[in-house]
Amino acid sequence: MANCYICETELNKDNSSNEHIILNACGGRLTSNDLLCVKCNSEIGEKIDAILAKQTNDLANLLLIKRHRGEAQSIRAEHVSTGREFYLEYGGKPIAVKPHIEIEDIEKGKKISIKARSRSELKKILTGLKRNYPQLNVEDALGKAKHFREYLDEPLNFDTMIGGSDVLPSIVKIAINFYLLKGGDRKYIKDLIPYLKGESEMKVAISHHPQDAIYIPGDEVSHVLYIEGNPDEGILYAYVELYNVHNFLVLLNQNYDGPKIKTNYIFDVLQSVELNRNVYLEYGKEYILETLKKGDLGSVKSVQKAFQRVLNIAKERQWNKSKDDSIKNAMKNSFEKYPEGTPITEKMLNEFIDELMNDIGPLLR
């Protein structure tokens, strides 16, 4: 039987937890029931993992990452010219953060323009406005309201980040999970447990972008894990790369005397498949300790290039999903109103084309 590597409680079917080696929030699929008990996973894992999940949420959303459970959260963004705030839902659909209300003076009184997100919201707004404008006829206004689809002709801006000391415990946890999954011995990582529990400060992880590419992705977006244990130099370390953009170096043990280890895991998060590729990374002990001491954020241009590559892939995936959704909606609105089994006529095809062009046409401009 395995033991929880945090508290060393013996694990069984009642107290073991299904631990994702890489977070479910990042689309991780590799799991183990032999790492953490439910209690430790709840008290420690969820606390430190929530920070990493939040910081990687934007990429998970834009890339349409599939998880074992749940979907990426919406992204809060701002319209460039108007400053209006929107939520970008999973799938790319923008939803206004709040209704838009304009009140202007005209010769005969007031002109009120309202953009609400639903009919019920519109009624609530009108009812509230009636307190200040008693002459307002709520039912009449509701009767004149029109449903419309708004297309944004300018980009939405949002800020995204990953890094800082708060996120590093979760990265260290990923490295420990992978090391133990591959048969590593707890005694070589036990000194890191107080760090994971928030009981001590340790400089054992850092954002790290190698000058020479250690892995060159093809068309995929991937997570990369690499573990090396070298008893000749007395070093055990890990490299963690998320979405081919956010990279970290983790020192697991600087007095390592166990067996030689060199193993990696590459996971295509778009196709949800493991890739059989090589990772080219062999760091010496002196380099690792010096890097942790001085810091090494890598070339800004190389980081920007990597990020832009992933954003281009995300843009293409969003566009393809928009086309697919438009086709499905057009088919539903044009064909499903007829009885099942009705032969498709030219009129039905024209209705389908009109529906499709109404939906997708503005996106092609």
Side-chain angles (χ1 to χ4, degrees):
M1 294 294 293
N3 293 78
C4 172
Y5 71 79
I6 298 289
C7 69
E8 297 191 82
T9 296
E10 185 174 310
L11 298 175
N12 55 52
K13 65 178 182 179
D14 296 321
N15 68 1
S16 66
S17 65
N18 187 239
E19 170 71 0
H20 282 77
I21 307 306
I22 297 174
L23 301 190
N24 171 60
C26 297
R29 289 291 187 270
L30 197 60
T31 63
S32 174
N33 290 311
D34 295 330
L35 296 175
L36 293 172
C37 68
V38 172
K39 184 174 183 291
C40 287
N41 199 8
S42 177
E43 292 180 354
I44 298 173
E46 291 181 6
K47 179 181 178 181
I48 63 176
D49 289 343
I51 299 170
L52 179 60
K54 182 178 180 180
Q55 290 195 3
T56 56
N57 176 73
D58 294 352
L59 281 180
N61 179 309
L62 296 174
L63 289 166
L64 306 176
I65 297 301
K66 294 180 180 179
R67 304 174 174 181
H68 272 145
R69 57 184 182 275
E71 292 181 345
Q73 300 299 305
S74 300
I75 302 172
R76 190 155 183 153
E78 184 177 286
H79 192 231
V80 172
S81 63
T82 65
R84 288 178 63 196
E85 292 186 310
F86 290 84
Y87 289 118
L88 282 175
E89 293 189 327
Y90 178 84
K93 183 180 179 181
I95 301 292
V97 171
K98 57 184 178 181
H100 185 65
I101 304 171
E102 288 185 3
I103 302 176
E104 59 178 302
D105 293 319
I106 58 176
E107 185 176 343
K108 296 182 180 181
K110 299 284 185 180
K111 179 182 178 182
I112 303 175
S113 301
I114 303 171
K115 291 181 180 179
R117 295 165 295 184
S118 66
R119 187 174 180 84
S120 60
E121 182 178 68
L122 175 60
K123 185 174 182 178
K124 185 177 180 180
I125 293 170
L126 290 169
T127 302
L129 287 172
K130 189 172 176 63
R131 298 190 190 100
N132 294 326
Y133 306 99
Q135 68 274 28
L136 177 63
N137 188 318
V138 173
E139 294 304 321
D140 182 58
L142 284 172
K144 294 178 180 178
K146 294 181 180 180
H147 182 272
F148 71 98
R149 181 171 292 168
E150 182 180 14
Y151 292 92
L152 302 177
D153 55 0
E154 290 183 1
L156 294 176
N157 280 351
F158 63 91
D159 295 324
T160 185
M161 67 154 292
I162 185 172
S165 59
D166 289 345
V167 80
L168 295 180
S170 186
I171 299 298
V172 173
K173 180 167 167 279
I174 290 174
I176 291 175
N177 284 347
F178 185 56
Y179 167 68
L180 295 176
L181 182 75
K182 290 298 182 178
D185 193 324
R186 179 187 182 275
K187 71 180 183 180
Y188 293 114
I189 57 87
K190 67 178 183 179
D191 290 343
L192 298 175
I193 303 302
Y195 174 70
L196 293 186
K197 296 170 69 174
E199 297 173 352
S200 68
E201 293 290 332
M202 302 174 71
K203 194 160 187 178
V204 293
I206 190 172
S207 179
H208 174 69
H209 298 269
Q211 293 182 352
D212 298 321
I214 70 161
Y215 166 75
I216 302 176
D219 296 330
E220 83 276 4
V221 175
S222 52
H223 298 323
V224 181
L225 302 180
Y226 176 83
I227 295 284
E228 182 173 352
N230 186 342
D232 296 332
E233 288 205 39
I235 193 74
L236 175 67
Y237 71 95
Y239 173 80
V240 177
E241 181 174 306
L242 302 177
Y243 299 111
N244 303 129
V245 173
H246 305 303
N247 311 341
F248 301 87
L249 184 64
V250 180
L251 173 63
L252 295 174
N253 192 299
Q254 59 179 312
N255 297 296
Y256 181 70
D257 59 1
K260 282 193 173 184
I261 303 170
K262 190 180 290 186
T263 186
N264 65 260
Y265 170 78
I266 302 173
F267 182 70
D268 182 341
V269 295
L270 304 183
Q271 302 301 322
S272 294
V273 295
E274 183 176 353
L275 303 178
N276 185 19
R277 305 271 184 83
N278 292 320
V279 174
Y280 303 97
L281 183 68
E282 290 187 357
Y283 285 167
K285 183 175 183 177
E286 182 178 347
Y287 175 80
I288 292 172
L289 296 179
E290 191 69 13
T291 300
L292 287 170
K293 181 179 178 181
K294 291 185 175 181
D296 177 18
L297 299 179
S299 166
V300 173
K301 287 187 177 180
S302 66
V303 175
Q304 289 176 334
K305 183 178 179 182
F307 204 89
Q308 188 60 54
R309 171 187 168 273
V310 172
L311 288 181
N312 289 340
I313 292 174
K315 183 178 180 181
E316 182 178 359
R317 285 174 66 81
Q318 296 277 352
W319 168 239
N320 288 335
K321 187 176 188 306
S322 294
K323 289 190 294 183
D324 291 344
D325 289 346
S326 294
I327 292 172
K328 290 177 183 177
N329 288 334
M331 292 182 68
K332 180 179 179 180
N333 294 335
S334 56
F335 294 145
E336 289 188 5
K337 63 184 178 182
Y338 295 97
E340 188 175 349
T342 301
I344 296 177
T345 64
E346 184 176 351
K347 176 186 176 184
M348 293 166 67
L349 286 175
N350 288 335
E351 288 176 352
F352 167 73
I353 292 172
D354 288 342
E355 284 281 350
L356 180 60
M357 292 312 298
N358 284 335
D359 197 32
I360 204 172
L363 301 177
L364 300 173
R365 294 171 187 165

